[in-house]
């Protein structure tokens, strides 16, 4: 057994050394580094991207990176599809919905996840003390995003459906104001808009119990990598994100400070959300299960009109992650 352990450890180390050597070779081969753009949703979930930027991990890599801040993973995805960015950060829900109708994109890796990033917040005047109390209430969500899935899951716990509430759609950054103005009784925002709502409404807002109802996974997406140069560029980006994730793991306080400064965020907000986040590179069965379960929900709820589930495996490209961290692939 000792020999087996040694072989496994040496194999993992060899893979890591190979990945580092590949990066070095790409750097040596490229006198002039290519410049790529990343559309990053302005949220702490994008922490590895911002850490890599702040600490120069992209500069150590074989590409120059320009980051475009956007609101929400759907906007990030659209930037990639519209060729305004080479890479983007999108939730699994965006991948599910877009994968119903198109196959001109791939996920290169999940790099962050949380079971409490999307929340449900009610106005105290709505008098919601139990799940069933939401019946007949006005609910604000962002269309085609993870909030819709969380809302349906929450309703299902009391035998309710979306037909039992009055749903209105808002951009993610408009949800707090909609609740403040009492245009709705409940909103389903992700961070930082959940924290913003609670801070703005103070004692007039209440967080409903939704932790563990939905695990959000944040992914790095791109157009399909149709040549070796694009594979190399994606590898360089993931290499830098891997460095950033290791830094977050061993320097949590410093990482939080970097993210607080980069986002211009309230330090209390970062402390509020940080314990819910797991940062790691992966392409695994958990992602596939999330994609499939949400796809089934979309079909059964009538949100999409298709006859067959897409094969989401075809939207996962493992080649860049294989070069950086092969042990993180479990499909």
């Amino acid at each position: 057994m000792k020999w087996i352990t040694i072989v496994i450890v040496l194999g993992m180390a060899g893979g890591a050394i190979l990945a580092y050597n590949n990066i070095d070779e790409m750097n040596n081969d490229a006198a002039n580094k290519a410049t790529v753009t990343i559309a990053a949703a302005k949220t702490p979930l994008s922490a590895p991207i911002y850490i890599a930027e702040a600490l120069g991990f992209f500069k150590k890599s074989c590409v120059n990176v320009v980051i475009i801040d956007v609101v929400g993973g759907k906007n990030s995805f659209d930037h990639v599809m519209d060729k305004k960015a080479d890479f983007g950060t999108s939730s699994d829900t965006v991948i599910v919905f877009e994968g119903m109708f198109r196959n001109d994109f791939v996920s290169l890796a999940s790099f962050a996840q949380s079971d409490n990033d999307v929340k449900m917040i009610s106005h105290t005047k709505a008098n919601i003390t139990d799940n069933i109390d939401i019946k007949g209430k006005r609910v604000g969500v962002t269309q085609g995003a993870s909030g819709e899935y969380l809302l349906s899951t929450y309703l299902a716990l009391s035998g309710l459906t979306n037909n039992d509430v009055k749903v209105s759609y808002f951009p993610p950054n408009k949800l707090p104001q909609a609740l403040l103005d009492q245009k709705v009784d409940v909103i389903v925002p992700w961070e930082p808009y959940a924290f913003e709502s609670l801070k703005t409404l103070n004692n007039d807002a209440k967080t409903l119990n939704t932790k563990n109802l939905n695990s959000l996974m944040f992914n790095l997406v791109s157009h399909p990598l149709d040549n070796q140069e694009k594979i190399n560029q994606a590898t360089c980006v993931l290499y830098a994100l891997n460095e950033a994730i290791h830094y977050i793991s061993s320097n949590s306080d410093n990482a939080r400070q970097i993210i607080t400064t980069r986002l211009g965020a309230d330090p209390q907000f970062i402390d509020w959300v940080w314990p819910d986040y797991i940062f790691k590179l992966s392409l695994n069965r958990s992602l596939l299960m999330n994609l499939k379960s949400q796809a089934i929900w979309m079909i059964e709820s009538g949100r999409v009109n298709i006859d067959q589930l897409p094969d989401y495996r075809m939207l996962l490209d493992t080649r860049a992650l294989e070069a950086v961290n092969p042990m993180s692939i479990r499909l």
Side-chain angles (χ1 to χ4, degrees):
M1 290 299 293
K2 290 182 179 179
W3 284 109
I4 293 174
T5 302
I6 291 172
V7 170
I8 292 173
V9 171
L10 288 177
M12 293 172 63
I17 292 171
L18 179 61
Y20 279 80
N21 286 341
N22 286 343
I23 294 296
D24 289 338
E25 289 175 7
M26 292 179 203
N27 270 320
N28 292 334
D29 291 343
N32 298 313
K33 293 182 179 181
T35 297
V36 300
T37 55
I38 302 176
K42 199 171 182 182
T43 161
L45 282 166
S46 297
I49 292 173
Y50 294 134
I51 295 293
E53 174 191 46
L55 298 182
F57 295 147
F58 287 127
K59 292 181 180 178
K60 287 173 55 180
S61 183
C62 44
V63 287
N64 295 313
V65 170
V66 175
I67 296 175
I68 304 171
D69 289 334
V70 299
V71 176
K74 180 62 168 63
N75 282 332
S76 176
F77 181 90
D78 289 342
H79 267 64
V80 175
M81 293 298 98
D82 295 339
K83 297 186 177 180
K84 296 177 181 178
D86 299 292
F87 303 95
T89 62
S90 292
S91 71
D92 43 5
T93 303
V94 173
I95 291 174
V96 170
F97 185 80
E98 296 295 338
M100 298 279 188
F101 309 104
R102 61 195 308 166
N103 59 7
D104 57 344
F105 72 96
V106 291
S107 171
L108 304 173
S110 297
F111 60 86
Q113 64 185 74
S114 171
D115 65 358
N116 199 34
D117 190 68
V118 185
K119 298 178 175 69
M120 293 182 62
I121 299 174
S122 69
H123 199 289
T124 53
K125 290 183 179 179
N127 295 318
I128 298 176
T129 58
D130 195 41
N131 288 33
I132 195 67
D133 296 333
I134 199 172
K135 186 174 182 178
K137 303 300 184 186
R138 301 166 300 162
V139 183
V141 298
T142 299
Q143 189 171 23
S146 52
E148 281 199 290
Y149 183 60
L150 177 62
L151 173 61
S152 290
T153 303
Y154 183 87
L155 291 169
L157 291 177
S158 295
L160 303 175
T161 70
N162 279 53
N163 293 328
D164 294 305
V165 294
K166 301 171 185 176
V167 175
S168 297
Y169 295 115
F170 297 88
N173 56 330
K174 300 297 183 182
L175 287 169
Q177 190 65 43
L179 187 63
L180 178 64
D181 294 341
Q182 297 186 56
K183 293 179 180 178
V184 291
D185 305 302
V186 180
I187 58 173
V188 194
W190 53 77
E191 299 295 358
Y193 307 113
F195 180 84
E196 179 183 321
S197 300
L198 292 169
K199 185 175 180 180
T200 301
L201 275 81
N202 200 4
N203 294 329
D204 289 331
K206 174 184 177 182
T207 303
L208 306 183
N209 184 17
T210 59
K211 186 173 173 60
N212 297 319
L213 289 186
N214 178 40
S215 181
L216 180 149
M217 302 182 76
F218 230 38
N219 298 263
L220 187 73
V221 299
S222 74
H223 279 288
L225 307 178
D226 54 11
N227 59 56
Q228 190 59 48
E229 181 182 4
K230 290 182 180 178
I231 296 172
N232 290 347
Q233 290 172 359
T235 301
C236 296
V237 171
L238 290 184
Y239 165 79
L241 295 188
N242 200 42
E243 288 277 280
I245 287 168
H246 287 311
Y247 183 87
I248 292 171
S249 176
S250 57
N251 300 274
S252 179
D253 290 344
N254 290 343
R256 284 202 302 267
Q257 182 57 53
I258 290 171
I259 298 306
T260 299
T261 301
R262 178 61 174 80
L263 297 180
D266 185 333
Q268 291 182 340
F269 163 62
I270 300 301
D271 291 340
W272 156 269
V273 297
W274 204 256
D276 293 323
Y277 291 166
I278 297 174
F279 298 106
K280 65 178 181 180
L281 289 180
S282 68
L283 281 174
N284 56 35
R285 295 184 187 92
S286 293
L287 174 60
L288 280 174
M289 289 175 61
N290 273 2
L291 298 177
K292 184 176 180 180
S293 62
Q294 291 185 58
I296 292 172
W297 161 72
M298 285 186 180
I299 294 171
E300 291 182 346
S301 63
R303 280 167 174 74
V304 293
N305 184 21
I306 63 172
D307 299 324
Q308 188 174 356
L309 283 177
D311 183 358
Y312 286 105
R313 285 179 179 269
M314 302 303 295
L315 296 177
L316 307 182
D317 189 333
T318 63
R319 290 174 294 175
L321 186 56
E322 180 79 31
V324 174
N325 187 358
M327 300 300 292
S328 65
I329 302 172
R330 290 288 185 270
L331 294 171

